Amino acid sequence: MSSTTSRRQSAVRSSSLGRLVALAFAIITLGQLGEVRAQNNTVDPAVRFVNASPFERFEWGTATIPFAEGEWQPGDRWEAEDVPSELTPFGARWPDGSVRFAKLSAKVLLAPWQDRVINIRRAIDPPLDPFELSRWTEVNLQNFDFQFFVNTSTGLHTAPLVPHSIVEVGASRFTVLFRNRIPNTDLLYELWVTFFDDQDHARFELRLTCGKPSSSHWLQPYESFGFAVRSAVPFVRNAAYHNIIASAPELFGWNSVVLEHVPNHLYDAQSMEWYGNFFFGHPGVSVWEPMQRLNTAFAAIGGNELYGVATNWPASGAFGPFGVVPEAPPWWTDGGLWHAQTEYDEFLQYTGQPAESTWADRPMGLSPDAPAPGDQYDFGTTQLGDIVRSTYPHRIDEARFCVGEEAMRPGHFVEEDGSPVKAADHPGWITWSGRAHHSDSVSPDRLGKPHPEPWLSNNANFWRGRDNQHWSSNTMAAAYLLTTSHSLLREVNTDIELYLSGHTLPSTHNLSTNGIGASRAVGRTLLSMAWHYVVTGREDVRQRIADRVEECVAVQYQGLGGVDMKPIRYYAPDPRVTVTTNWWSGWEEGIAAAGLEAVWRVTGSQTAKDLAVACATSLLWHGWNMDMSDLRITYAMAYQPNGQALSPAQLASPDWAEWANSNGLREWCIPATKIARNYGIEIGDQETVDRANAILNQLHAERQPQLTGRWDRFANWEAL
């Protein structure tokens, strides 16, 4: 019976899994899922896969499938229709305990350039047979080995393959984490390898991190570094961009890959990452349909990683903390296909040329100098909305690549054994902008490093940590959600640990880090952590953002008792604005309201909702000039001691009100306007609803069409 039409029925080969068990210490036994229970299906999930190569491929594709609240109850099992598949829940659950997200592995047959949509249904077929390596993979793993090497001024240093743990195990895929320190350096590598059932190539993700608590060094110089692998041919994605030097491929011998050959250094807690595939082949071993297997390998090398996109994201209500996918721009006439294909072509052109620098900024996400003023790509209530709205997966590759740059931000602290530092294990470690706080009285735990830190931006190759006012992680969270990448999950968890260690509570610490800072800092940090909770299900971050609202934001909300205006924060006179007295910023309040709303959505905190409404309605009634021929949001507005509204004469005077001449700042306030409108609907306040609708309608009327047919920044603020 051909493996293209059915799974083999044989048992797991003891030799193949024996090798994996030896590498990873032990194998976890999967429990059987319970009986399928009938539910009312309000959404018909499906997933789209696209083969962006001229070769037929028969391989495991992966995707995240969202489920509406109540659809997937405990004990249910789901599957892809007519193809071998496995769905595994992950991330936060819905309030009723039902599954919100599931990882899908589906073995799909795709013709060259084929676009295929596969239905997802409640399981009617038996579960998959136990995991089994392909014959080519099994044979090659008998001699498989890996070494990471670093050249420094003191010589060549190598670290062998050391298994750390099994990260995931199922009938369709099996992931092992390897971790080891490079001798005589402050460096360590981490390698995730994901094997798929009866597939001749595995996915890998590789990270190099500088960090060693027992070392007083801040920098680790290197002359070059890379890795060598035996009995597998490595393919590093975007190799041209990384300027990688690889040896001629050897099926059974050693293959070397020089990842970096320009002398430089890594700063403490700074990482770099790469990802790709290990290919296994053995001409002397007979397998089913060898040409199809070879074509699949060619497709994986010459085309895209086989990610899929669920088609039910908008209907599921599961995307991000607000559960909203932005509507397609009115100029999309083909469902976003042209946009997806064009973006993918440009991504291939971009990554087909060597980067200007190893440390160069990539198109998406936050800039290397995160505290830099002005707009940044990551800002919004969501990112990657174009992917889930169009359901075309082309841009997932680009998002995965771009978020990989976050490894270069120097906040990846590790213990002596190489495990990531957890804030709960270091109550005296208090961070600020992604580093140990500059005061050792605030952060007496320095993770083994001396004080003071000799910080200069070029120490970390011009990468800096997120400061509170620019802490935005939309692209990171959404990219992890769509890829379930192990390396990107490390980034999300790093972001969470830095938040937990830097956003303290009065009930546990009497520190300056209890302060909420600027209004935009309130909004951006809370929104980022709400996103992270949704994609990870980590209860510690969910609890912390709820506690921060109760213990910090509610207490420090300066304008809450105002007669009319109720800004979260107002500021002392500042020569950068025209207002000559205490003032508040409309666009900052808009960002704050969105973050508070996100906390309410994911924690149910009534305080968060009340504060979001107070902030948003205050902005609605006092932050807009309501001139529909020149609609503006306030950049700075005077705050009188009792919060009394300004008179028309005062609103017309730059000494009292400065109006922003920025379309972007208006867009930043779309979420707050929607919050105020929703509240007006809830309490039956038609005047509030009408005012909010007037603003939103005017902003939509002035939205500029993208002549190239692209997704625009406006849409990223619509997800509420």
Side-chain angles (χ1 to χ4, degrees), residues 75-98:
D76 289 356
R77 186 168 63 85
W78 290 68
E79 66 185 9
E81 189 175 69
D82 297 331
V83 298
S85 64
E86 184 176 37
L87 283 100
T88 307
F90 76 100
R93 297 294 180 105
W94 287 108
D96 69 352
S98 59

Side-chain angles (χ1 to χ4, degrees), residues 157-172:
H157 312 286
T158 62
L161 190 70
V162 174
H164 178 269
S165 59
I166 293 176
V167 177
E168 63 179 345
V169 60
S172 62

Side-chain angles (χ1 to χ4, degrees), residues 57-137:
R57 61 200 305 182
F58 182 49
E59 67 178 291
W60 290 92
T62 59
T64 294
I65 308 299
F67 292 87
E69 186 170 9
E71 264 194 297
W72 181 335
Q73 293 290 346
D76 289 356
R77 186 168 63 85
W78 290 68
E79 66 185 9
E81 189 175 69
D82 297 331
V83 298
S85 64
E86 184 176 37
L87 283 100
T88 307
F90 76 100
R93 297 294 180 105
W94 287 108
D96 69 352
S98 59
V99 171
R100 185 168 183 151
F101 309 121
K103 297 181 184 181
L104 167 71
S105 299
K107 194 164 190 179
V108 294
L109 177 63
L110 296 171
W113 312 114
Q114 184 181 359
D115 175 338
R116 182 179 178 185
V117 176
I118 300 169
N119 292 328
I120 306 297
R121 67 189 182 191
R122 285 188 171 81
I124 59 176
D125 294 331
L128 292 180
D129 295 334
F131 179 90
E132 184 176 0
L133 290 172
S134 77
R135 286 286 291 129
W136 282 351
T137 304

Side-chain angles (χ1 to χ4, degrees), residues 91 120 245 265 334 348 377 497 531 663:
I120 306 297
I245 301 173
H265 66 266
D334 61 354
L348 293 180
Y377 180 94
E497 296 301 334
W531 256 104
N663 191 50

Side-chain angles (χ1 to χ4, degrees), residues 6 13 18 60 69 109 152 175 218 249 255 285 345 399 421 484 488 536 583 647 673 683 713:
S6 70
R13 292 188 181 93
W60 290 92
E69 186 170 9
L109 177 63
T152 72
T175 301
W218 292 99
N255 292 281
V285 176
D345 290 343
V421 166
T484 62
L488 295 193
T536 66
W583 59 282
S647 68
T673 307
I683 64 173
R713 300 292 302 280

Side-chain angles (χ1 to χ4, degrees), residues 477-542:
Y480 166 66
L481 179 61
L482 296 181
T483 64
T484 62
S485 153
H486 300 291
S487 186
L488 295 193
L489 178 57
R490 173 61 51 80
E491 289 302 333
V492 170
N493 282 326
T494 294
D495 217 35
I496 291 174
E497 296 301 334
L498 292 174
Y499 179 86
L500 295 174
S501 62
H503 291 73
T504 52
L505 301 171
S507 59
T508 58
H509 293 82
N510 182 24
L511 297 172
S512 58
T513 46
N514 296 340
I516 63 174
S519 298
R520 58 178 166 170
V522 173
R524 285 182 176 141
T525 55
L526 292 177
L527 176 60
S528 292
M529 293 307 118
W531 256 104
H532 287 344
Y533 166 68
V534 167
V535 302
T536 66
R538 283 187 56 170
E539 287 298 324
D540 55 351
V541 73
R542 178 181 180 273

Side-chain angles (χ1 to χ4, degrees), residues 387-704:
I387 297 175
V388 295
R389 172 57 67 180
S390 72
T391 75
Y392 290 108
H394 302 66
R395 290 194 71 219
I396 297 181
D397 277 329
E398 181 181 5
R400 168 66 187 88
F401 164 76
C402 288
V403 175
E405 72 175 5
E406 284 297 324
M408 296 186 282
R409 213 173 291 283
H412 303 80
F413 298 95
V414 295
E415 303 284 8
E416 194 69 23
D417 66 358
S419 59
V421 166
K422 296 185 180 299
D425 297 334
H426 293 268
W429 175 59
I430 309 298
T431 59
W432 184 257
S433 296
R435 302 293 302 174
H437 196 283
H438 51 82
S439 170
D440 59 354
S441 63
V442 174
S443 181
D445 186 346
R446 313 300 295 183
L447 300 182
K449 296 301 180 189
H451 181 267
E453 179 176 356
W455 175 254
L456 293 172
S457 60
N458 63 341
N459 283 353
N461 300 287
F462 299 98
W463 280 83
R464 298 174 64 186
R466 286 170 164 77
D467 68 312
N468 292 341
Q469 296 187 39
H470 301 86
W471 194 321
S472 185
S473 306
N474 292 322
T475 311
M476 177 196 298
Y480 166 66
L481 179 61
L482 296 181
T483 64
T484 62
S485 153
H486 300 291
S487 186
L488 295 193
L489 178 57
R490 173 61 51 80
E491 289 302 333
V492 170
N493 282 326
T494 294
D495 217 35
I496 291 174
E497 296 301 334
L498 292 174
Y499 179 86
L500 295 174
S501 62
H503 291 73
T504 52
L505 301 171
S507 59
T508 58
H509 293 82
N510 182 24
L511 297 172
S512 58
T513 46
N514 296 340
I516 63 174
S519 298
R520 58 178 166 170
V522 173
R524 285 182 176 141
T525 55
L526 292 177
L527 176 60
S528 292
M529 293 307 118
W531 256 104
H532 287 344
Y533 166 68
V534 167
V535 302
T536 66
R538 283 187 56 170
E539 287 298 324
D540 55 351
V541 73
R542 178 181 180 273
Q543 189 62 52
R544 179 60 59 87
I545 58 178
D547 290 344
R548 281 282 294 188
V549 169
E550 293 288 346
E551 296 189 34
C552 301
V553 181
V555 175
Q556 299 172 44
Y557 192 132
Q558 290 177 298
L560 191 58
V563 175
D564 299 307
M565 296 186 291
K566 301 179 185 295
I568 290 178
R569 304 292 283 171
Y570 52 82
Y571 310 107
D574 189 321
R576 294 174 295 180
V577 300
T578 64
V579 176
T580 57
T581 185
N582 288 347
W583 59 282
W584 59 280
S585 170
W587 62 268
E588 285 203 25
E589 295 297 308
I591 293 171
L596 288 163
E597 177 83 359
V599 174
W600 170 58
R601 298 289 184 98
V602 302
T603 70
S605 166
Q606 186 62 42
T607 300
K609 179 183 179 181
D610 292 344
L611 298 184
V613 167
C615 176
T617 53
S618 169
L619 177 64
L620 178 75
W621 285 101
H622 305 289
W624 295 90
N625 66 353
M626 298 308 291
D627 178 357
M628 294 305 163
S629 64
D630 186 22
L631 183 64
R632 297 192 184 193
I633 191 72
T634 179
Y635 189 84
M637 178 172 287
Y639 184 79
Q640 302 187 86
N642 61 355
Q644 183 177 347
L646 302 185
S647 68
Q650 289 171 323
L651 291 172
S653 169
D655 290 341
W656 290 87
E658 180 179 355
W659 301 97
N661 185 22
S662 168
N663 191 50
L665 295 183
R666 298 190 311 173
E667 293 173 0
W668 294 6
C669 296
I670 290 174
T673 307
K674 290 187 174 185
I675 293 168
R677 181 185 63 182
N678 292 346
Y679 182 67
I681 294 171
E682 180 183 334
I683 64 173
D685 183 350
Q686 192 60 43
E687 193 174 4
T688 291
V689 174
D690 291 345
R691 186 179 180 92
N693 280 334
I695 293 169
L696 294 171
N697 291 340
Q698 185 62 32
L699 293 177
H700 274 276
E702 296 181 26
R703 186 179 184 181
Q704 295 298 310

